């Protein structure tokens, strides 16, 4: 079977040089390996994703000379598949609802920080500080009946206890040079959100389901997602899904060494194209010739 690669942007802004690097690297790997290249639109967040950004993704990638298989998988069209996976995790007793608002969470974190430093996840966000795991079924039912918004969280300690140690084969490298067989550390993320009242999935859950359903054999993506791979491997182990190979690549940074952002016009592919920059120049700028 030919290897399968994918580029999976979220249509919540215009693509920038970092996306061009990731997409071209994926496309190149697929060509070199005689593999397939898929484009996936990660649009589960209706508050941030827009059809014009999605359209721009197609235009910008085509302009770079990239071609992909049709039909494109759009996550918003597959919510029942994510809901089914979530239900399996719920049936294992690994998911619980938490009802705190953002403001309440911030207050709890400040309190915990005052008692001693409360841990942050690898992205720098505080771990979930609440005690919702201890609510009784009756309390949960009552809060839900009152129409309270909630997040569905993975009981990380129970999930880790269930699968034991998991690892992945890193073909690229992590931010600290990690490479080869890499032991996952999902507990560093705490009780991650897997879904919300209004959305039956999250980035972590849908990416794992889609990579498995699409038969992705090598995930090529930026080092900013290296640590998230620990959560992905844990979910794959819980759901009995195969582990792809992972190749995390360096991030393209701006002149000051900052990560590129979708809101910075200076490195946006559309803006560069409008200024008359050619796609060959883009490849040159990101070190792909
Ligand atoms: N949709 C994610 C993003 O735009 C990438 C997901 C992935 O490559 O795993 O950052």
């Amino acid at each position: 079977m030919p290897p399968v690669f994918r580029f999976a942007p979220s249509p919540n802004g215009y693509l920038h040089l970092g996306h061009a690097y990731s997409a071209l690297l994926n496309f190149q790997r697929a060509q070199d390996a005689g593999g397939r290249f898929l484009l996936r639109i990660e649009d589960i967040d209706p508050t941030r994703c827009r059809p014009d950004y999605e359209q721009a993704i197609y235009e910008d990638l085509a302009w770079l000379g990239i071609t992909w298989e049709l039909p494109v998988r759009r996550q918003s069209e597959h919510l029942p598949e994510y809901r089914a996976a979530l239900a399996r995790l719920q049936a294992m007793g690994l998911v619980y609802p938490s009802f705190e608002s953002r403001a309440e969470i911030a207050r709890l974190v400040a309190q915990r920080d005052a008692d001693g430093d409360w841990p942050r996840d690898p992205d720098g966000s505080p771990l979930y500080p609440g005690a919702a795991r201890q609510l009784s079924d009756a309390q949960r039912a009552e809060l839900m009946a009152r129409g309270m918004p909630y997040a569905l969280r993975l009981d990380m300690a129970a999930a880790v206890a269930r699968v034991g140690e998991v690892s992945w084969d890193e073909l690229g490298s992590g931010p600290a040079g990690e490479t080869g067989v890499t032991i996952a550390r999902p507990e560093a993320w705490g009780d991650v959100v897997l879904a919300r009242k209004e959305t039956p999935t999250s980035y972590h859950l849908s990416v794992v389901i889609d990579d498995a359903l699409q038969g992705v054999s090598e995930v090529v993506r930026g080092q900013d997602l290296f640590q998230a791979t620990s959560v992905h491997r844990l979910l794959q182990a819980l759901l009995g899904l195969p582990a792809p190979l992972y190749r995390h690549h360096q991030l393209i940074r701006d002149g000051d060494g900052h990560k590129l952002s979708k809101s910075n016009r200076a490195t946006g592919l559309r803006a560069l194209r409008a200024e008359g920059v050619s796609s060959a120049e883009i490849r040159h700028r990101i070190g792909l010739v």
Side-chain angles (χ1 to χ4, degrees):
M1 284 231 287
V4 181
F5 297 80
R6 62 25 170 218
F7 176 59
S10 298
N12 54 13
Y14 292 123
L15 299 186
H16 54 55
L17 289 174
H19 297 106
Y21 183 72
S22 202
L24 285 164
L25 215 57
N26 259 297
F27 187 59
Q28 195 57 53
R29 282 280 309 134
Q31 286 197 318
D32 291 349
R36 298 168 55 203
F37 174 76
L38 311 177
L39 171 63
R40 182 166 78 221
I41 299 293
E42 302 213 322
D43 60 347
I44 52 171
D45 182 352
T47 62
R48 297 181 62 219
C49 294
R50 293 189 352 206
D52 52 325
Y53 288 141
E54 181 177 336
Q55 199 50 43
I57 288 173
Y58 302 135
E59 287 168 22
D60 292 347
L61 293 180
W63 176 67
L64 288 172
I66 292 176
T67 51
W68 54 90
E69 288 184 16
L70 295 174
V72 167
R73 185 175 174 94
R74 300 173 72 242
Q75 290 188 327
S76 58
E77 293 168 353
H78 296 275
L79 298 184
E81 286 145 65
Y82 311 131
R83 197 175 278 121
L86 180 68
R88 286 181 56 204
L89 296 170
Q90 285 173 309
M92 293 177 211
L94 297 177
V95 179
Y96 67 89
S98 68
F99 298 88
E100 296 90 349
S101 65
R102 274 177 205 281
E104 274 171 81
I105 290 203
R107 192 180 51 76
L108 285 172
V109 169
Q111 231 172 50
R112 302 261 193 286
D113 276 341
D115 299 340
D117 285 345
W118 182 248
R120 264 51 180 176
D121 71 21
D123 280 351
S125 300
L127 300 198
Y128 171 63
R133 193 157 43 86
Q134 273 112 51
L135 293 174
S136 67
D137 284 349
Q139 286 169 313
R140 287 173 183 161
E142 198 225 306
L143 290 164
M144 285 192 188
R146 287 202 338 233
M148 295 275 289
Y150 57 85
L152 292 171
R153 293 179 181 274
L154 182 67
D155 181 340
M156 185 56 81
V160 168
R162 188 172 173 120
V163 299
E165 188 172 272
V166 284
S167 61
W168 76 88
D169 207 354
E170 176 62 49
L171 303 178
S173 62
E178 305 90 333
T179 192
V181 176
T182 304
I183 307 294
R185 303 250 173 264
E187 52 288 335
W189 292 91
D191 290 356
V192 287
V193 173
L194 291 182
R196 293 188 186 275
K197 184 181 179 190
E198 316 292 346
T199 317
T201 189
S202 60
Y203 161 63
H204 294 309
L205 187 59
S206 39
V207 85
V208 155
I209 299 303
D210 286 355
D211 284 340
L213 282 174
Q214 297 191 290
V216 172
S217 54
E218 184 175 325
V219 172
V220 178
R221 63 184 177 191
Q223 272 176 352
D224 52 343
L225 293 170
F226 176 83
Q227 307 288 358
T229 310
S230 286
V231 178
H232 302 169
R233 286 292 301 119
L234 174 66
L235 292 175
Q236 286 159 355
L238 289 168
L239 293 166
L241 305 174
L245 299 168
Y246 286 89
R247 184 184 297 273
H248 291 93
H249 59 71
Q250 63 179 89
L251 297 177
I252 302 289
R253 300 191 178 270
D254 67 14
D256 301 325
H258 298 121
K259 214 177 118 175
L260 302 183
S261 115
K262 280 185 172 147
S263 53
N264 185 350
R265 272 184 61 81
T267 51
L269 295 183
R270 266 183 121 59
L272 291 166
R273 176 146 59 102
E275 284 165 23
V277 176
S278 71
S279 60
E281 263 173 82
I282 298 284
R283 283 169 194 258
H284 186 71
R285 269 198 209 187
I286 54 184
L288 295 171
V289 270

